[in-house]
Amino acid sequence: MTDPNAIQPSALDQLPDRDPEETAEWQASLDAVAKAAGPHRAAYLMRRTLERAEAGGIALPKLLETDYVNTIPTAAEPSVPGDEEMERKITAWNRWNAAAMVTRGSKYGVGGHIATFASAAWLYETGFNHFFKGKEADGSGDQLYIQGHASPGIYARAFLDGRLNEQHLDNFRQEAGGNGLPSYPHPRRLPWLWEFPTVSMGLGPLSAIYQARFNRYLTARGIKDVSDSHVWAFLGDGEMDEPESTAALALASREGLDNLTFVINCNLQRLDGPVRANFKIVQELEAQFRGAGWNVVKTMWGTAWDELFQLDTTGALVRRLRQVPDAQVQTYQTRDAAYIRQDFFGADPALVEMAKLLSDDKIIECFHLSRGGHEARKVYAAYKAAVEFKGAPTVILAQTVKGHTLGAGFASKNANHQMKKLTVDEFKTMRDLLELPISDSAFADGQVPYGHPGADSAEVRYLQERRAALGGPAPARRVHPVAPLPAPAEKAFASFDKGSGSQNVATTMAFVRLIKDLVRDKESGKRWVPIVPDEARTFGMESLFPSLGIYSPKGQTYEPVDRDQLMYYKEAKNGQILNEGITEAGSMADFIAASTAYSTHGEVMIPFYIFYSMFGWQRTADQMWQLGDQLGRGFLVGATAGRTTLTGEGLQHADGHSPVIAATNPAALTYDPAFAYEVAAIVKDGLRRMYGEAAPGEDPDVFYYLTVYNEPMPQPAKPSGLGIDEGIVKGLYRFNTAESAGLSPVANAPRIQLLGSGTAIHWTLQAQKLLAEEWGVAADVWSATSWTELRRDALEADAALLRGEERVPFVRQALQGADGPVLAVSDYMRQVPDQIAQWVEQDYSSLGADGFGLSDTREAARRHFGVDAESIVVAALAQLAKRGEVKATAVKEAREKYGL
């Protein structure tokens, strides 16, 4: 068995020792210090030596943890510019109104959170007063990802500066009547204030990283110089447990995103209790971020601790702080000085002697109140260090007390996240602590009043002057007036109208070919942002590598192995493609940043993100909601779509449900095109609606989801006739009739309407032929490009009827007068085509691929799910037999004939 105390070999052991005698002297010196001054002193010297080596550029492994103290010592803290007393008063008003707003709303049962902002107030206020650039600053200003549960404090500040009034605050979480405030940051609900939705925890940090990265992308490509923009992400220590929170830390450091700062509010509590009850979350996060290559600034203790650290001549205090688990630190917050003397100081004789020099009041001040995150000077020093650090992103770990200033009933209590109100007496205690001029008489009928020093008060003037100096109000969302993008040349879209002739072309390839033409457009081509998660070759996009280049901040520092090939792998500092590796979450974060650039930076970008359809909505549907919340625009493309189309890959890759999930998102326009000309028509309409001239009543803040297939098939010419383009966009049009297909059914033949979407239309067309030639049935074939849009139109028609307006759903208009029953077929579960069932006047039935996928040939998979041409024929005959239009025996004959 290996001795755990034995010295283990390292990489240095592989190198020859040029001077063994010198090495032995260093080792002997370390042994001597440990013997004479103790192992703690030896460890201290080693840490300081390693820090000096790192500062001097000597290549050594980095320390992953430092002592449980402030990174910036008190003596090195810069002075805070401005009026600290005025900023204290402003923060006090904001603390009061945040608590008052939630408390007043609690009588309606709408909820709210008080304790989070109470802990983080100075983290925000210091930034608003000195660092966060507004939208009128040079470039685009800063991007602020506000912690969702802190929203009451942000509303309180907007109230103080005149952007909100008392009616707004009283409508917190009550939006239905107008003038309401959403519970959390939400651009769709309050688009002039909130820029980024963040309350789906974990998505904020991930999005902030990719936003900072996209800022660099815009600058590198010459779209807009946003090098002065800084991204600030405010997070909770409990939130860092979400895998998305830390998923892209290495990307941020690898690409040197020093335009990014994470501020983690380490109040040591999550929703139910301590974040790391038996451990130390700050130390864990420090090691995680340092290991990922981030600059780490710890802001742990307030100035009251300075005296204690000066008395710590043996290092006993620092050692004890490292030992005490977080849950015990939380307990100290709630216990008296005698308990702290015994439990904390009593653990070490040196600390017992130190405690004799401290009054009870001093102990209470340190352990109850004095945290680095509660002092403007400490926070200012951390922020200044962050924005001045170059070459890597910075994380600030700021220790606070959850529920700070709200009274003993709130501070550090496990339940404080669920506590929604203070009593009148607790408010009066808080008022006295914050030194606010609010009289007892202001508490009319037991109602806590809002507080405001007056629109022309010194506090408000100071606040507004500071914001003016920094570029205007913050947070704020701006949509700058931009001219609609000119439509690309019609040639790019019309080239698909003639079909592919004898050549088989997959709709995936058709989409990629269309994009190749669109990125060449002189007006809008540079606005396209192709995003792909390491599957470009799967989708036939490798030809874009040499022409567009893959974005890399370092360019290409190597000679690619395929340099002598036409489609070589080309990286470039101004590359247009974002090839993210195997990360759908990262790719979606890219997409969100690009899709909202029209607001964030006043620059219209056209992102398209192409992915295995199975690994889009199933894996990252939460980010699709974030995209809709943030009013993003662009094209999501689910490639290799369908449950039976991707042969051999099996259950985990077989997508039979992405349109179902997509249908739940109100901002997603979901299409399942069957033919190349349909793909072109949908993309053309999407460009018009999102980036050109939207029609009256159309919302441009939507995104399109297209499913495309990797099954090469003949691409027919676009049918002639009126209403084809309208039908493609609205979701349904008649592709052909039995007669126009040249099938010449007998007179008075039974007739059925076959609706197919995506690749299923090809089996439907085969079934049309079998029905005519073998069963004497005339079938008309319809292309259902969007079951979801048909349903939404029908729902809107239903809502109009309730208002007394006569309106017929488009699906009913389209099928009006069509003879026979309707049979709908798709390569997805039946729930997809069944979305329109209740609005179809004809008898309606459907076929789909319900259940789990499987590995096999396409033909075998389609037979297994009962959606192949022969299965469609049997289902069609069954429908007609119910109506007495074919013999009942025909169904059994068909089953036997086709071996079903």
Side-chain angles (χ1 to χ4, degrees):
M1 181 180 292
T2 302
D3 180 0
N5 297 314
I7 298 176
Q8 300 299 313
S10 70
L12 295 178
D13 294 329
Q14 310 302 316
L15 303 175
D17 190 340
R18 296 187 306 173
D19 192 342
E21 185 176 346
E22 181 184 37
T23 304
E25 290 176 358
W26 277 78
Q27 292 171 338
S29 297
L30 181 63
D31 293 341
V33 171
K35 184 176 181 180
H40 298 301
R41 177 61 180 170
Y44 176 86
L45 292 176
M46 287 300 299
R47 287 199 300 273
R48 294 297 174 264
T49 302
L50 287 171
E51 289 170 357
R52 173 59 67 89
E54 183 178 343
I58 299 173
L60 282 173
K62 291 185 177 181
L63 287 171
L64 294 185
E65 284 187 34
T66 59
D67 288 330
Y68 202 68
V69 297
N70 296 349
T71 301
I72 303 170
T74 300
E77 291 170 359
S79 59
V80 180
D83 188 332
E84 292 188 59
E85 175 59 20
M86 189 64 67
E87 292 175 18
R88 185 198 66 78
K89 291 180 179 179
I90 291 170
T91 304
W93 285 117
N94 291 339
R95 285 182 181 278
W96 177 272
N97 287 320
M101 171 173 49
V102 177
T103 298
R104 287 167 67 123
S106 66
K107 65 183 179 182
Y108 302 109
V110 295
H113 303 286
I114 302 177
T116 295
F117 178 74
S119 67
W122 277 112
L123 301 180
Y124 290 106
E125 291 299 321
T126 303
F128 286 130
N129 288 327
H130 301 287
F131 291 94
F132 304 156
K133 295 187 287 292
K135 297 302 180 184
E136 282 106 44
D138 292 340
S140 303
D142 288 352
Q143 288 84 55
L144 308 180
Y145 289 77
I146 304 294
Q147 189 180 2
H149 293 139
S151 64
I154 308 305
Y155 290 138
R157 194 171 215 275
F159 170 65
L160 199 65
D161 73 10
R163 293 197 290 166
L164 295 175
N165 57 39
E166 287 193 14
Q167 183 184 8
H168 288 115
L169 300 194
D170 270 344
N171 285 336
F172 176 59
R173 293 192 169 202
Q174 298 175 71
E175 300 178 76
N179 287 323
L181 300 180
S183 51
Y184 303 121
H186 206 306
R188 190 169 285 276
R189 287 287 178 247
L190 202 62
W192 60 267
L193 180 72
W194 296 121
E195 198 165 16
F196 306 106
T198 54
V199 81
S200 190
M201 285 191 275
L203 298 189
L206 179 70
S207 294
I209 290 173
Y210 281 89
Q211 182 65 59
R213 197 280 197 96
F214 189 74
N215 291 356
R216 291 281 174 86
Y217 170 90
L218 283 179
T219 302
R221 289 198 53 219
I223 301 293
K224 183 177 182 179
D225 184 357
V226 294
S227 53
D228 285 338
S229 290
H230 200 89
V231 177
W232 299 83
F234 288 83
L235 318 167
D237 47 1
E239 180 178 3
M240 299 310 293
D241 284 348
E242 289 285 2
E244 295 90 349
S245 294
T246 56
L249 298 186
L251 167 72
S253 61
R254 184 170 64 244
E255 299 204 1
L257 298 181
D258 50 26
N259 60 339
L260 170 68
T261 297
F262 276 16
V263 181
I264 303 182
N265 177 16
C266 298
N267 57 33
L268 312 185
Q269 287 184 252
R270 52 189 176 199
L271 308 190
D272 287 333
V275 179
R276 292 290 182 274
N278 297 298
F279 305 93
K280 302 191 79 63
I281 185 60
V282 170
Q283 299 300 91
E284 179 182 320
L285 291 174
E286 179 183 28
Q288 192 169 18
F289 278 88
R290 282 185 179 274
W294 286 53
N295 175 45
V296 178
V297 177
K298 294 199 296 193
T299 303
M300 308 301 299
W301 308 108
T303 49
W305 282 81
D306 289 349
E307 179 183 343
L308 276 67
F309 288 124
Q310 289 171 2
L311 294 172
D312 185 28
T313 57
T314 65
L317 177 62
V318 172
R319 290 196 300 274
R320 182 65 177 141
L321 289 173
R322 285 176 63 90
Q323 294 167 358
V324 178
D326 284 352
Q328 191 64 18
V329 173
Q330 185 177 328
T331 296
Y332 294 149
Q333 172 72 32
T334 66
R335 302 301 291 269
D336 60 17
Y339 177 89
I340 298 170
R341 285 182 186 278
Q342 178 180 349
D343 190 88
F344 182 84
F345 291 97
D348 188 295
L351 293 179
V352 171
E353 294 302 313
M354 179 189 293
K356 293 177 181 178
L357 305 175
L358 304 174
S359 68
D360 285 357
D361 287 345
K362 182 65 176 181
I363 290 175
I364 292 299
E365 180 185 15
C366 288
F367 284 83
H368 283 203
L369 303 173
S370 187
R371 299 291 187 273
H374 296 323
E375 294 189 13
R377 180 175 178 136
K378 304 291 184 185
V379 176
Y380 181 87
Y383 285 10
K384 189 171 188 292
V387 297
E388 291 178 353
F389 190 87
K390 301 303 177 187
T394 294
V395 59
I396 295 169
L397 303 175
Q399 185 165 246
T400 66
V401 174
K402 192 167 185 178
H404 183 59
T405 73
L406 297 181
F410 262 85
S412 286
K413 293 298 177 66
N414 282 338
N416 61 20
H417 189 78
Q418 306 303 327
M419 297 162 69
K420 312 299 182 188
K421 59 184 178 180
L422 278 70
T423 65
V424 168
D425 287 342
E426 287 172 329
F427 266 110
K428 290 179 179 179
T429 301
M430 181 183 177
R431 171 200 62 189
D432 296 341
L433 175 66
L434 298 176
E435 300 178 357
L436 291 172
I438 300 173
S439 66
D440 286 353
S441 62
F443 292 82
D445 301 322
Q447 174 85 295
V448 57
Y450 294 121
H452 200 293
D456 195 41
S457 63
E459 292 96 322
V460 172
R461 288 199 307 271
Y462 181 88
L463 181 155
Q464 293 175 342
E465 287 168 2
R466 292 305 308 140
R467 288 313 314 159
L470 288 165
R477 180 178 181 271
R478 297 284 186 271
V479 178
H480 303 278
V482 291
L485 283 183
E490 182 63 27
K491 180 181 178 182
F493 306 103
S495 62
F496 294 93
D497 290 352
K498 62 183 179 182
S500 63
S502 60
Q503 181 183 8
N504 288 340
V505 177
T507 51
T508 299
M509 294 300 101
F511 177 82
V512 171
R513 179 183 144 194
L514 174 63
I515 294 300
K516 288 178 183 178
D517 289 340
L518 294 176
V519 296
R520 296 191 187 104
D521 185 83
K522 291 181 180 180
E523 296 291 335
S524 60
K526 69 177 182 178
R527 302 283 173 179
W528 285 88
V529 183
I531 303 167
V532 60
D534 202 34
E535 289 279 7
R537 298 181 192 278
T538 300
F539 308 136
M541 293 175 60
E542 65 269 29
S543 62
L544 297 178
F545 290 167
S547 58
L548 300 184
I550 299 167
Y551 169 72
S552 169
K554 290 186 175 293
Q556 195 154 38
T557 61
Y558 60 91
E559 183 177 354
V561 67
D562 54 359
R563 182 65 181 84
D564 57 344
Q565 298 179 16
L566 181 63
M567 292 185 287
Y568 71 96
Y569 194 83
K570 177 186 174 183
E571 296 188 81
K573 292 181 179 180
N574 63 346
Q576 192 165 349
I577 300 170
L578 293 173
N579 191 317
E580 292 305 349
I582 305 174
T583 167
E584 288 83 6
S587 299
M588 268 306 302
D590 265 337
F591 187 90
I592 292 169
S595 71
T596 53
Y598 73 92
S599 169
T600 309
H601 296 297
E603 293 289 342
V604 173
M605 305 301 288
I606 314 171
F608 80 87
Y609 164 35
I610 187 168
F611 50 88
Y612 265 68
S613 66
M614 182 67 164
F615 303 139
W617 286 88
Q618 176 166 297
R619 285 195 177 181
T620 57
D622 196 12
Q623 287 179 285
M624 274 72 163
W625 275 100
Q626 181 188 8
L627 169 64
D629 290 344
Q630 204 166 316
L631 287 76
R633 306 169 184 173
F635 296 95
L636 296 176
V637 183
T640 61
R643 180 147 280 163
T644 70
T645 306
L646 184 58
T647 57
E649 296 284 357
L651 184 153
Q652 293 86 356
H653 286 64
D655 172 23
H657 53 280
S658 71
V660 177
I661 307 174
T664 65
N665 191 311
L669 277 60
T670 304
Y671 287 91
D672 187 26
F675 305 123
Y677 67 79
E678 293 178 353
V679 172
I682 293 164
V683 171
K684 178 182 177 181
D685 184 71
L687 290 173
R688 174 199 62 79
R689 177 169 177 171
M690 295 185 290
Y691 303 101
E693 297 283 359
E698 274 188 328
D699 182 4
D701 296 323
V702 295
F703 59 94
Y704 283 60
Y705 175 53
L706 284 75
T707 47
V708 293
Y709 299 83
N710 70 329
E711 183 176 13
M713 299 293 288
Q715 294 297 327
K718 183 177 179 179
S720 59
L722 297 174
I724 298 296
D725 284 342
E726 179 190 27
I728 292 173
V729 172
K730 288 192 172 182
L732 183 68
Y733 69 96
R734 183 156 49 195
F735 175 73
N736 70 15
T737 64
E739 291 77 10
S740 65
L743 297 175
S744 302
V746 298
N748 300 318
R751 187 172 291 270
I752 190 169
Q753 309 299 317
L754 302 179
L755 279 57
S757 69
T759 197
I761 204 166
H762 298 287
W763 329 323
T764 306
L765 289 168
Q766 295 170 28
Q768 179 190 41
K769 185 176 181 182
L770 291 174
L771 284 167
E773 294 179 350
E774 299 183 7
W775 304 97
V777 172
D780 301 337
V781 174
W782 300 70
S783 180
T785 53
S786 180
W787 310 101
T788 303
E789 287 307 296
L790 291 174
R791 175 180 174 79
R792 286 179 179 164
D793 171 80
L795 289 172
E796 290 172 6
D798 285 356
L801 284 174
L802 291 176
R803 297 191 300 267
E805 304 170 15
E806 288 294 331
R807 187 175 153 197
V808 180
F810 179 79
V811 64
R812 189 169 295 169
Q813 294 178 43
L815 291 171
Q816 188 173 15
D819 293 336
V822 170
L823 175 61
V825 188
S826 88
D827 201 17
Y828 298 94
M829 55 197 302
R830 288 175 60 180
Q831 189 174 338
V832 176
D834 284 353
Q835 290 181 87
I836 67 170
Q838 72 184 82
W839 293 281
V840 175
E841 293 181 316
Q842 295 88 344
D843 293 339
Y844 187 89
S845 63
S846 63
L847 295 176
D850 285 72
F852 288 112
L854 76 165
S855 299
D856 213 312
T857 63
R858 292 178 179 128
E859 292 75 16
R862 286 161 188 166
R863 177 56 59 93
H864 170 81
F865 287 109
V867 293
D868 60 353
E870 291 80 5
S871 298
I872 295 172
V873 169
V874 173
L877 293 174
Q879 280 290 89
L880 293 168
K882 282 183 187 178
R883 297 159 58 94
E885 296 181 18
V886 300
K887 295 179 180 179
T889 56
V891 181
K892 180 181 179 183
E893 292 173 17
R895 278 201 304 267
E896 293 174 350
K897 179 175 182 176
Y898 301 131
L900 296 179

